[in-house]
């Protein structure tokens, strides 16, 4: 069956450092991936996406890397800020949107 | 302006009393999803619609039903809520064919007493 999982349930970083959040997926047919940010009490918010014909995509302070060989995604957040504290989910949409486990990112001042 | 709207934001219901959560969208998306999210867990897909085609997840309890009377609205009906059904319920929309993001509502937090 399909599953999208994350390696680490929690991540704590110093303000200003870079954050790297990882995600593994099992459906090799997946061709589109999304990273979502979810703050407490709110719905998931789109951060960045990547299609399977790419291995890297950059946004503002965020970069997503895709390694199809090992079925692995990562989200890199540059110069992490207190406002980045949230739970981050990777998700895939081959036919339906399925979420990974999630990683809680905590920023230390 | 909110594009996916869930009402109410907070719902309290009694054990065993049927409850309906609603979701509306202004995006004219043909795919709508319902997720259940418990504390410190990822959203779990309950079911989704492609237009009027209903797709139930294999492990979604029969207690959960859904209706989509038109493109804009989708309802989640919980026939006999149990204490274990207390959770955040999220609605999302996307366009069919994949490769587009899904837009989420703010969720309805359901409390069962």
């Amino acid at each position: 069956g399909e599953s999208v999982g994350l390696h680490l349930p929690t991540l704590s970083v110093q303000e200003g450092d870079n954050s790297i959040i990882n995600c593994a997926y099992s459906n090799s047919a997946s061709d589109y991936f999304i990273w979502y940010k979810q703050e407490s009490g709110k719905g998931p918010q789109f951060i960045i996406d990547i299609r399977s014909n790419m291995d890297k995509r950059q946004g503002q302070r965020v970069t997503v890397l895709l390694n199809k060989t090992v079925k692995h995604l990562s989200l890199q957040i540059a110069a992490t800020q207190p406002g980045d504290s949230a739970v981050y989910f990777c998700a895939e949409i081959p036919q339906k949107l399925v979420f990974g486990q999630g990683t809680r990112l905590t920023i230390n001042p | 302006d909110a594009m996916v709207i869930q009402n109410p934001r907070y719902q309290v219901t009694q054990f065993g009393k049927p409850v309906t959560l609603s979701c509306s969208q202004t995006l004219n998306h043909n795919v709508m999803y319902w997720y259940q999210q418990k504390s410190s867990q990822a959203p779990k897909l309950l079911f989704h619609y492609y237009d009027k085609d209903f797709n139930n997840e294999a492990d979604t309890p029969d207690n959960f039903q859904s209706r989509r009377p038109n493109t804009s609205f989708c309802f989640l009906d919980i026939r006999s809520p149990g204490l274990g059904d207390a959770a955040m319920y999220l609605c999302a929309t996307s366009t069919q064919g994949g490769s587009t993001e899904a837009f989420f509502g703010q969720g309805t937090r359901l409390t069962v007493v």
Side-chain angles (χ1 to χ4, degrees):
Chain A
E2 303 171 351
S3 70
V4 184
L6 292 174
H7 294 312
L8 294 173
T10 61
L11 177 65
S12 184
V13 300
Q14 293 295 123
E15 183 177 350
D17 286 353
N18 296 336
S19 302
I20 299 176
I21 301 171
N22 296 305
C23 176
Y25 65 94
S26 61
N27 188 345
S28 57
S30 296
D31 57 3
Y32 180 62
F33 303 88
I34 305 173
W35 280 100
Y36 282 95
K37 173 185 179 183
Q38 188 176 27
E39 296 175 283
S40 180
K42 297 183 178 180
Q45 179 184 10
F46 175 89
I47 301 174
I48 192 168
D49 59 359
I50 188 167
R51 288 173 171 71
S52 60
N53 62 351
M54 306 169 68
D55 53 20
K56 180 179 180 179
R57 188 154 191 241
Q58 286 184 293
Q60 187 176 17
R61 283 203 307 118
V62 294
T63 301
V64 55
L65 300 177
L66 175 62
N67 185 331
K68 294 182 288 295
T69 302
V70 295
K71 291 185 282 189
H72 181 269
L73 277 168
S74 68
L75 176 70
Q76 300 177 2
I77 305 173
T80 313
Q81 303 169 358
D84 296 326
S85 293
V87 178
Y88 291 82
F89 295 100
C90 65
E92 57 179 332
I93 309 185
Q95 300 93 19
K96 55 190 177 184
L97 180 64
V98 176
F99 283 89
Q101 178 186 0
T103 293
R104 180 176 300 279
L105 179 64
T106 303
I107 314 303
N108 300 318
Chain B
D1 289 339
M3 296 178 287
V4 182
I5 302 168
Q6 291 187 242
N7 283 307
R9 288 292 309 277
Y10 301 92
Q11 175 74 57
V12 180
T13 191
Q14 291 180 331
F15 182 94
K17 183 176 180 180
V19 65
T20 295
L21 310 182
S22 72
C23 178
S24 63
Q25 54 134 338
T26 60
L27 298 164
N28 204 35
H29 284 170
N30 55 354
V31 185
M32 293 189 79
Y33 302 89
W34 276 107
Y35 293 86
Q36 180 193 64
Q37 186 177 27
K38 297 190 176 181
S39 180
S40 300
Q41 296 183 22
K44 178 181 180 299
L45 182 62
L46 295 173
F47 22 62
H48 66 288
Y49 280 91
Y50 284 127
D51 295 317
K52 286 192 173 294
D53 293 333
F54 177 71
N55 299 270
N56 198 34
E57 292 299 296
D59 57 354
T60 298
D62 292 340
N63 196 27
F64 292 88
Q65 303 288 320
S66 186
R67 296 171 284 135
R68 190 179 184 185
N70 53 53
T71 299
S72 301
F73 287 88
C74 196
F75 301 98
L76 170 61
D77 301 309
I78 308 177
R79 294 192 297 187
S80 182
L83 298 178
D85 296 326
M88 174 76 86
Y89 290 88
L90 294 163
C91 172
T93 73
S94 69
T95 56
Q96 190 167 355
S99 299
T100 59
E101 68 174 285
F103 293 82
F104 281 83
Q106 291 294 339
T108 295
R109 181 163 295 282
L110 179 68
T111 301
V112 181
V113 297

